[in-house]
Amino acid sequence: MAALLLLAVGLGDAYGQDGAAGAFARSGFDARGVAMGNALVADATGDASPYYNPALAPFVTRQHISASAAFLTMDREQQYLQFNIPLEPTAGVSVHLIRAAVDNIDARDRSGFDTGTLSTEELSGALTFGNRITDRIALGTSFKFFRADFFEDVSPELSIGIDLGAVIHASEDLQIGLSVNDLLAAYNWETAGTGRAVTDHFPRRFRGGVSYRLLDDQLHLVAEYESRLTTREEVTREPVDGEGSPTELVTDDVRTHDGQARIGASYVIADIFTVRAGLDRIGSGGTGGLRPSAGFGIEQPVGELKIRAAYTFALEPNVQDAFNLLTLKVFI
């Protein structure tokens, strides 16, 4: 169980440094989103993934498929795949999959002797539906699954979650977005011989933000704030009957709260070329916890197909390692 928990925390730190279950699925989705600081909860332009808010699904203008790959340090890898379908006249459906893995983890026994290498893998997928219920308001929901395979002696754990979202058009250029993420999601670990089970809760995240376009849509500004509630199990030993007597394990739920902000911007230099920049994790872990990012996007028709390619470079918080992300989007 100890090895399992260390691997779980280690993978959480490796993807976003937030240390809670499912951290890999909160690091961002595609190159455009990460470049703009992941502040896309209100981005109803049709370019943002419904990953950021299920209410964005009905704003997809054309059926498309997109694939992304992240290039990371320390033997980590992450891939993204998404398929979006507009449903005329007012709805949209999206399916996405995220995979994260860490290889070549050095394994040691209790005496410190090398026992080989370990690897971990996590998957997250979602089916999203959104609908514009009025000209100004759109609602959406995502049904999500999570699968964690951390340790060969423990069966992979499965969980489900739900996201809820809304987008409000305050004006032609200003949108407001609201989203609640990862409701119900938790890993429940059970290992033979330990005498207890562990519940690893996903943080409940409440996000609100704005999206504003100006200069004839050349400049796009986004911002959001996230309030996060995390429940952790804290295990202590207490005497059974008086001082010096045998002890028993006592498990308590400890709830913590933290918040962080995000900002981002994009500017269309030419019809085929856009530059982007953003700042994620503002207010989380001081200046060392910030995650700055920048990137660009290119659009090029190929016959009847419209193809978009995007690249983003980001600095991971605290460790300042490079995070490189490529996305290819094909409209069909």
Side-chain angles (χ1 to χ4, degrees), residues 36-316:
M36 297 180 69
N38 288 320
L40 301 184
V41 69
D43 181 18
T45 61
D47 292 322
S49 167
Y51 159 92
Y52 289 101
N53 184 343
L56 300 177
F59 297 99
V60 173
T61 57
R62 183 174 171 183
Q63 180 174 287
H64 65 266
I65 187 170
S66 64
S68 304
F71 301 91
L72 300 152
T73 59
M74 298 184 292
D75 296 306
R76 295 170 298 156
E77 57 181 285
Q78 194 160 359
Q79 299 90 30
Y80 316 78
L81 185 65
Q82 181 175 259
F83 186 46
N84 287 352
I85 307 172
L87 300 177
E88 298 296 341
T90 61
V93 172
S94 175
V95 179
H96 78 247
L97 179 68
I98 304 173
R99 175 185 177 270
V102 183
D103 294 321
N104 298 319
I105 301 172
D106 188 25
R108 303 275 174 167
D109 62 18
R110 293 184 177 181
S111 299
F113 293 106
D114 187 2
T115 60
T117 60
L118 302 173
S119 62
T120 66
E121 181 183 66
E122 282 194 87
L123 297 173
S124 173
L127 172 63
T128 300
F129 175 79
N131 189 28
R132 286 174 282 177
I133 60 174
T134 71
D135 291 340
R136 290 186 175 272
I137 299 175
L139 302 177
T141 186
S142 292
F143 298 94
K144 306 165 71 173
F145 81 88
F146 300 90
R147 181 184 185 274
D149 188 359
F150 287 154
F151 191 53
E152 60 185 7
D153 293 337
V154 179
S155 299
E157 176 60 23
L158 298 175
S159 182
I160 61 171
I162 297 175
D163 289 356
L164 303 174
V167 171
I168 302 168
H169 283 262
S171 69
E172 183 178 351
D173 298 318
L174 176 64
Q175 290 85 42
I176 300 170
L178 302 169
S179 181
V180 182
N181 303 97
D182 298 333
L183 298 175
L184 307 180
Y187 291 144
N188 296 292
W189 302 103
E190 295 184 11
T191 51
T194 64
R196 67 185 186 92
V198 174
T199 299
D200 201 4
H201 297 277
F202 285 51
R204 307 303 186 248
R205 299 182 295 139
F206 304 87
R207 297 162 49 236
V210 295
S211 168
Y212 187 67
R213 292 171 289 173
L214 60 162
L215 302 179
D216 294 328
D217 291 347
Q218 278 189 287
L219 179 61
H220 184 198
L221 305 176
V222 292
E224 72 171 60
Y225 180 79
E226 175 182 310
S227 178
R228 179 181 300 190
L229 298 175
T230 305
T231 301
R232 300 179 184 273
E233 288 191 349
E234 186 176 90
V235 180
T236 58
R237 288 187 177 273
E238 294 186 359
V240 176
D241 184 21
E243 185 177 352
S245 65
T247 60
E248 63 177 353
L249 294 177
V250 178
T251 302
D252 292 317
D253 286 338
V254 178
R255 293 177 174 83
T256 59
H257 170 267
D258 66 277
Q260 56 186 270
R262 305 179 178 94
I263 56 174
S266 69
Y267 185 77
V268 180
I269 294 180
D271 290 341
I272 64 170
F273 189 75
T274 302
V275 293
R276 305 174 178 119
L279 190 58
D280 196 353
R281 294 173 54 88
I282 301 170
S284 177
T287 57
L290 295 175
R291 188 195 197 196
S293 56
F296 62 85
I298 300 173
E299 182 175 315
Q300 179 63 51
V302 179
E304 296 183 357
L305 297 176
K306 184 168 68 171
I307 297 177
R308 291 179 182 171
Y311 166 77
T312 291
F313 172 85
L315 288 178
E316 297 188 72

